[in-house]
Amino acid sequence: MKKILFLVPSILILFHLNAQSDLQKAETLLKTMTLEEKVGQMTQVTFAVIAKDGWGNQDGNIDPAALKKAVVDYHVGSILNTTAHGFSVDTWQQIITQIQDETKNTRLKIPVVYGLDGIHGQTYTLNSTLFPQSIALAATRNVNLAKTAAKITANELRASGVRWNFAPVLDIGRQPLWSRFPETYGEDVYLGKTMGAAVIKAYEGDGLRNPTAVASCMKHYLGYSAPRSGKDRTPTYMPEIEMREYYLPQFREAVNAGSSTIMINSGEINGEPVHASKYLLTDVLRNELGFEGVIVSDWEDIKRIHDRHFVAATPREAVVMAVNAGIDMSMVPGDFSFYDLLIEAVKLGEVPISRIDDAVQRILVLKYKLGLFDNPYPEPAAEGNFGKPDYQTFALDAAHEAMTLLKNQNNVLPLSRSARVLVAGPSAQSISALNGCWSYTWQGKEEQWYPADSKTIFQAITDKLGAAHVATTTGKGFDNAMNYDVANLTAAATGVNAIILCLGEDAYAESPGNTRDLALPDNQIALANAAVATGKPVILILTEGRPRFITNIEPSMHAILMAYWSGKKTAEAVADVLFGDYNPDGRLPFTYSRSMGEIVLYDRKPTEEIREVFNDNINSGYDPLYPFGHGLSYTTFEYSNLQLSSTTLSGNAKLTVGITVKNSGNRDGKHAVELYTRDLYASVTPCMMRLRAFQKISLKTGESKTVTFTLDKDDLAFVNAQLKTVTEPGEFEVMIGNQKKTFIYQ
Ligand code: BGC
């Protein structure tokens, strides 16, 4: 009886706790916390801080004393990253278990939230499934593929015991020099915000307590992709009208899609480090966009307000600026300096306790939402979701749809299966040049960590044609000296029907990917020239994360296939396209410019279009090698019968746009139909065209389909001189393929 009487109140308390929202639970817990415990929650350290052998750690072993120091003495709320390379699922589970075990030795037993960068698949778990980079996913114009890739990434992270993913990258790719261009969805706002929001829903949509979900992290807010020099983490100068037109919408859409966290731009805008910008973090992100989740700094960026940007005279002043601006958690990450300095600052009255409480409450809410208070350990239900066989099929589907055929002179492709080919060039026998950054290591360069069944382009072609039909002058690895031997290439071309020349970029990430020149290096150009000199058809395969200029060699290439860094199945997808087992349907998510002096993007302003030559105005301002949206197929698609539901669009009404698309060639194929609009006159110079909608369809040979889109006034809006997003009355043009119609918005 006594026991029963005792049980009743505890059941009631339990019931009460369960009935509370995550916010209420966080509020209750917050009230019991000391300043030290609170500031600890705001502190994020890197794995090296708790690892045996520190930064040199290779096997994932933890140093118990270092772990205790971080978790018990400093109360850290979050840990991230790995040291050298990815670990097995088992090792990750062991790491997470050991960390959460240690939290049980703290007064309040608050679980740690672990975060990793699953950028194009779960980067840091060995044998995870790597998908095309975002730039290549954007080329698919297939939102469902991007969602599937994100779902699988979430599964493989959660199976590893990790519930926070530092993705997606929502920076827009309008500066091709920038080394993180491959992590973007390209140059268009609509494409970027559509893909980004879809991916966030895929990460989080099941509900974060579910073992198939992870918290997403929108990054890197704001303007990170626009450094004037093109170099990573260098200054951006940007008028607010431009920021709001091109850089902010992706984040607004992502906040509305429900993303739980956000990471801040390491750079500075107009002379202000973004980490210290109260305007961007609090006024715009919190108050205007209504973001309620956790704001985390990027790597060491609070320290850098002092030691790189020099706007804070001391490290403590940097901490004060960042936290007062709105940062909730500091990716410190190599020590506990943030913890010490913030406590000091609070005690001196430099940071109000209300700001600390606000930050900690958000962090606690995230942990409740993630179910970490219920069970912080790796979940058996999640484990079975790692490495399912059909993930490989999805990776191949995504790589197939990314492949973008830029040129196919005289229909040289597809090649015959009985052809004899020479496979040449540095990416012919490289795995890293097919996957790029964030592939088992940060830089993605170390091939020993890739799954054993990863294929090179040379292998995939050999599998298809048989070894007797495939010659190569290359050796393993992108930098292998053999790959650049021009004389060898010339000699080996005798007797082959075509040369498959694999050029481009090896993997790189962040600042190590800075480049002085977007032109392909001379040693690659020399290979192209030698291949052309043999008189054989030359098929150029580009494995690259950003458009490297090929203007001088392009005219003499017979075909060009842009393969990007399309992940695990890049090689198979390339081979399938080359030999006609897949009909390519990718479309460029960026403008492929001719040279540095000709970087004009597709949504150009009218004056960028006009080139004045004495008395002639020539509309040749947008004359890239290949425009945004370019991509060939082995079949042909014809557009007809563009129909608008009305010639006027009033107020908040909707306009339906229909178009008939016919597969008029002799191959079945997929095709992304894109709708652009143009505002003819506006108070701010209008763009020549803006992508407003797209739909990917499949058409059998001879088949026609009517595709319909719905537009409303928000789809036509722009940012005016008062920085308001508006749609002004007037005439608009709708453009789909070669069809155009106008309507009036009133
Ligand atoms: C990158 C972030 C990343 C973080 C943690 C930084 O260098 O800029 O994108 O999430 O490292 O790995």
Side-chain angles (χ1 to χ4, degrees):
M1 188 61 187
K2 244 190 190 169
K3 259 191 195 158
I4 292 174
L5 281 179
F6 174 75
L7 267 178
V8 172
S10 30
I11 288 170
L12 279 179
I13 289 168
L14 207 70
F15 178 76
H16 182 64
L17 268 181
N18 282 338
Q20 281 188 321
S21 67
D22 292 333
L23 179 60
Q24 288 166 324
K25 288 181 202 164
E27 281 167 353
T28 311
L29 179 54
L30 184 67
K31 289 197 185 108
T32 69
M33 292 171 76
T34 63
L35 175 63
E36 287 72 18
E37 285 162 342
K38 289 175 183 174
V39 171
Q41 286 301 310
M42 297 170 69
T43 305
Q44 186 184 51
V45 295
T46 188
F47 180 68
V49 168
I50 58 161
K52 192 162 166 268
D53 313 325
W55 291 97
N57 181 283
Q58 290 289 318
D59 53 14
N61 280 333
I62 289 179
D63 170 1
L67 178 63
K68 180 169 175 292
K69 182 174 172 194
V71 171
V72 179
D73 301 347
Y74 283 92
H75 321 282
V76 300
S78 182
I79 305 181
L80 86 153
N81 223 0
T82 170
T83 35
H85 53 77
F87 298 130
S88 68
V89 175
D90 283 353
T91 303
W92 274 120
Q93 293 195 351
Q94 201 183 304
I95 289 171
I96 302 298
T97 304
Q98 210 173 330
I99 292 170
Q100 305 298 12
D101 277 348
E102 191 65 46
T103 66
K104 304 294 180 204
N105 299 326
T106 65
R107 189 176 74 92
L108 296 170
K109 307 186 179 14
I110 301 174
V112 161
V113 57
Y114 207 104
L116 286 176
D117 296 276
I119 303 290
H120 65 124
Q122 172 23 18
T123 303
Y124 290 127
T125 304
L126 299 178
N127 291 312
S128 69
T129 316
L130 291 189
F131 291 92
Q133 298 278 352
S134 292
I135 197 73
L137 280 178
T140 71
R141 302 293 200 271
N142 186 337
V143 176
N144 288 331
L145 280 177
K147 279 187 184 160
T148 306
K151 272 259 54 100
I152 293 170
T153 306
N155 279 337
E156 297 199 330
L157 269 155
R158 193 102 180 197
S160 311
V162 175
R163 302 188 193 181
W164 189 10
N165 189 14
F166 301 135
V169 171
L170 298 174
D171 305 304
I172 191 167
R174 295 178 77 83
Q175 163 54 287
L177 265 177
W178 189 50
S179 56
R180 304 192 75 169
F181 190 91
E183 296 177 59
T184 75
Y185 294 110
E187 80 190 38
D188 178 64
V189 175
Y190 177 78
L191 185 54
K193 73 179 186 187
T194 306
M195 288 283 185
V199 157
I200 284 162
K201 287 184 189 151
Y203 286 137
E204 303 209 8
D206 290 347
L208 296 184
R209 278 189 170 76
N210 197 299
T212 58
V214 289
S216 61
C217 186
M218 311 171 271
K219 67 189 196 184
H220 309 75
Y221 178 86
L222 183 72
Y224 181 37
S225 57
R228 209 174 242 188
S229 69
K231 305 279 188 284
D232 191 32
R233 291 172 159 88
T234 60
T236 293
Y237 287 90
M238 192 186 290
E240 188 156 345
I241 191 170
E242 182 186 10
M243 177 189 107
R244 288 180 173 272
E245 184 67 59
Y246 300 99
Y247 294 81
L248 190 62
Q250 301 80 339
F251 288 93
R252 191 188 294 275
E253 195 90 358
V255 168
N256 293 339
S259 185
S260 294
T261 74
I262 193 164
M263 192 185 292
I264 304 308
N265 167 10
S266 305
E268 56 183 68
I269 303 182
N270 304 335
E272 182 183 47
V274 182
H275 282 75
S277 174
K278 190 159 201 242
Y279 175 66
L280 287 178
L281 302 188
T282 299
D283 300 351
V284 178
L285 179 60
R286 287 278 185 232
N287 299 339
E288 186 186 324
L289 268 52
F291 177 63
E292 290 181 349
V294 174
I295 302 180
V296 64
S297 84
D298 201 349
W299 192 270
E300 287 184 348
D301 280 324
I302 297 183
K303 293 180 177 182
R304 287 174 181 174
I305 296 174
H306 164 66
D307 66 19
R308 283 202 184 171
H309 298 286
F310 299 103
V311 298
T314 64
R316 192 178 79 228
E317 193 183 336
V319 167
V320 170
M321 284 173 106
V323 175
N324 283 340
I327 300 278
D328 299 320
M329 184 185 279
S330 171
M331 191 186 286
V332 192
D335 56 45
F336 303 100
S337 55
F338 171 83
Y339 173 95
D340 293 329
L341 294 169
L342 184 53
I343 290 175
E344 212 176 296
V346 173
K347 289 186 175 159
L348 289 167
E350 293 169 347
V351 175
I353 192 72
S354 56
R355 178 71 267 277
I356 303 293
D357 286 349
D358 174 58
V360 176
Q361 188 169 298
R362 293 175 197 280
I363 294 164
L364 296 176
V365 167
L366 174 70
K367 293 183 177 186
Y368 278 111
K369 273 178 28 181
L370 282 167
L372 286 165
F373 281 94
D374 308 329
N375 170 21
Y377 293 103
E379 302 139 298
E383 195 177 325
N385 292 331
F386 189 87
K388 287 188 173 170
D390 62 355
Y391 295 176
Q392 298 295 315
T393 316
F394 291 124
L396 181 60
D397 289 347
H400 273 152
E401 293 201 26
M403 295 296 121
T404 307
L405 185 59
L406 299 179
K407 179 175 181 182
N408 193 12
Q409 192 176 301
N410 302 328
N411 293 327
V412 61
L413 293 182
L415 295 169
S416 153
R417 304 267 309 218
S418 54
R420 288 178 60 84
V421 297
L422 169 64
V423 184
S427 45
Q429 291 207 67
S430 166
I431 303 289
S432 56
L434 308 186
N435 286 275
C437 51
W438 304 106
S439 301
Y440 308 109
T441 60
W442 172 45
Q443 294 294 310
K445 271 194 167 172
E446 294 172 38
E447 296 200 351
Q448 73 267 33
W449 302 110
Y450 283 81
D453 62 348
S454 303
K455 281 190 188 170
T456 64
I457 295 177
F458 170 68
Q459 280 167 329
I461 293 175
T462 306
D463 287 353
K464 223 178 249 302
L465 304 191
H469 283 233
V470 189
T472 189
T473 48
T474 63
K476 282 198 188 312
F478 194 87
D479 294 329
N480 193 319
M482 279 176 75
N483 299 339
Y484 302 93
D485 189 325
V486 168
N488 244 347
L489 184 151
T490 308
T494 319
V496 303
N497 303 106
I499 300 175
I500 296 167
L501 185 61
C502 308
L503 305 182
E505 299 183 311
D506 198 1
Y508 53 80
E510 302 186 38
S511 298
N514 285 342
T515 180
R516 291 188 167 154
D517 192 353
L518 274 181
L520 271 190
D522 290 348
N523 55 2
Q524 296 199 39
I525 298 294
L527 289 172
N529 289 333
V532 171
T534 65
K536 306 284 178 181
V538 183
I539 318 298
L540 175 62
I541 313 294
L542 291 170
T543 68
E544 56 188 20
R546 56 193 158 187
R548 301 295 299 248
F549 302 138
I550 50 167
T551 307
N552 293 341
I553 57 170
E554 187 266 354
S556 43
M557 297 294 119
H558 293 78
I560 304 178
L561 178 66
M562 171 56 115
Y564 312 91
W565 289 337
S566 288
K568 170 78 184 297
K569 295 291 183 181
T570 311
E572 289 88 332
V574 166
D576 286 348
V577 169
L578 290 180
F579 297 96
D581 294 328
Y582 189 79
N583 184 5
D585 50 72
R587 299 188 71 162
L588 279 179
F590 53 79
T591 296
Y592 209 120
S593 298
R594 291 179 187 276
S595 63
M596 270 331 284
E598 282 294 347
I599 299 204
V600 178
L601 305 187
Y602 94 92
D603 50 8
R604 62 216 179 262
K605 297 288 181 111
T607 48
E608 290 180 277
E609 175 92 352
I610 298 164
R611 293 285 158 90
E612 271 184 59
V613 185
F614 299 106
N615 292 328
D616 294 327
N617 284 342
I618 305 172
N619 280 22
S620 62
Y622 186 62
D623 183 30
L625 198 56
Y626 299 108
F628 175 86
H630 178 72
L632 304 172
S633 166
Y634 294 150
T635 187
T636 47
F637 297 98
E638 280 173 14
Y639 292 80
S640 64
N641 204 22
L642 174 63
Q643 301 259 357
L644 309 188
S645 56
S646 169
T647 52
T648 55
L649 173 64
S650 307
N652 292 324
K654 296 202 183 301
L655 184 77
T656 307
V657 181
I659 182 99
T660 305
V661 187
K662 180 176 182 190
N663 180 345
S664 51
N666 51 17
R667 291 275 314 235
D668 298 348
K670 291 182 185 166
H671 184 61
V673 183
E674 297 186 327
L675 182 154
Y676 296 86
T677 66
R678 174 180 172 202
D679 192 347
L680 266 54
Y681 297 92
S683 62
V684 165
T685 52
C687 295
M688 295 293 295
M689 59 199 302
R690 290 293 292 267
L691 182 67
R692 303 301 190 186
F694 57 85
Q695 255 182 62
K696 192 146 190 189
I697 54 171
S698 277
L699 288 175
K700 299 229 172 294
T701 173
E703 191 186 1
S704 290
K705 266 185 192 161
T706 298
V707 179
T708 52
F709 300 98
T710 311
L711 295 179
D712 62 26
K713 76 170 197 319
D714 294 341
D715 296 312
L716 310 170
F718 67 94
V719 178
N720 72 9
Q722 288 70 45
L723 306 178
K724 295 277 171 290
T725 301
V726 295
T727 309
E728 292 175 348
E731 197 173 357
F732 287 82
E733 199 166 54
V734 178
M735 298 165 270
I736 305 182
N738 55 0
Q739 311 269 301
K740 272 184 193 174
K741 280 236 159 109
T742 56
F743 67 93
I744 306 284
Y745 172 71
Q746 58 189 25

